[in-house]
Amino acid sequence: MKKLLAASAIALALSMAGTAAHAAVTTLTLVNDQVGFSASHTGAFSDTYNFTISNLSDLSSSVTASIVTRSTTAPTTLTSFLLTSIATGATYASSSSTSITTTNGVTKYETTYGILATSLTAGLYKLTVTGNGSYGGNLTLISSVPEASTTSMMLGGLALVGMMAWRRRRGDQKLSMPMGMTAA
């Protein structure tokens, strides 16, 4: 019985090690609200990038894979690119496009996935990239709440425009009144 348990434990450890070679988890550290990421694999993969959003933000992220081949069929590069909130489990899907160029009988396939997500709350998120081969991408956060200085400048500008309209209207009323009739 002990041999069976030991063999099971070894088999489980080996299967976990094999899975870990094709499923990497990396923590991204954003510098000035942006970060780049890339990886190169020889086979199928599923990579996860964890990152933290500290305040309400909009997110823009893309990942691109290029494969150059002499084959007439498109190779499999990226199969999915997904953003998930770890706290809520909410997922944000991506859109993709593939461009194909051929020069001197060599075909280049370039697949790009992109995610645009608005009003993401603070918390832990993960990007999951799956596919076959190599890729590179970026992640950019944009503040979805205007800064206090921007808001105060906008309010000051509105007050100035309002005051100018009020003075112009008041001036037009004075000019349109007949002589001798003034507003009390």
Side-chain angles (χ1 to χ4, degrees), residues 67-91:
I67 293 205
V68 178
T69 181
R70 291 192 180 276
S71 171
T72 56
T73 59
T76 303
T77 54
L78 298 176
T79 53
S80 74
F81 184 51
L82 189 64
L83 172 66
T84 307
S85 168
I86 293 177
T88 65
T91 58

Side-chain angles (χ1 to χ4, degrees), residues 37-48:
F37 53 90
S38 63
S40 181
H41 299 281
T42 56
F45 65 85
S46 179
D47 292 342
T48 300

Side-chain angles (χ1 to χ4, degrees), residues 143-181:
S143 176
S144 63
V145 178
E147 298 210 11
S149 61
T150 304
T151 304
S152 63
M153 284 181 65
M154 180 187 73
L155 291 174
L158 284 173
L160 182 64
V161 168
M163 189 175 77
M164 288 173 48
W166 175 77
R167 288 188 70 198
R168 177 172 285 178
R169 188 170 157 213
R170 187 170 169 231
D172 288 347
Q173 285 177 349
K174 281 185 178 179
L175 293 175
S176 64
M177 297 245 180
M179 289 299 275
M181 297 183 78

Side-chain angles (χ1 to χ4, degrees), residues 78-127:
L78 298 176
T79 53
S80 74
F81 184 51
L82 189 64
L83 172 66
T84 307
S85 168
I86 293 177
T88 65
T91 58
Y92 304 87
S94 60
S95 59
S96 68
S97 66
T98 300
S99 66
I100 304 168
T101 56
T102 303
T103 307
N104 298 330
V106 178
T107 305
K108 178 181 177 185
Y109 297 90
E110 188 169 283
T111 305
T112 302
Y113 280 81
I115 296 174
L116 291 174
T118 58
S119 300
L120 297 175
T121 58
L124 187 60
Y125 289 83
K126 68 178 179 178
L127 283 174

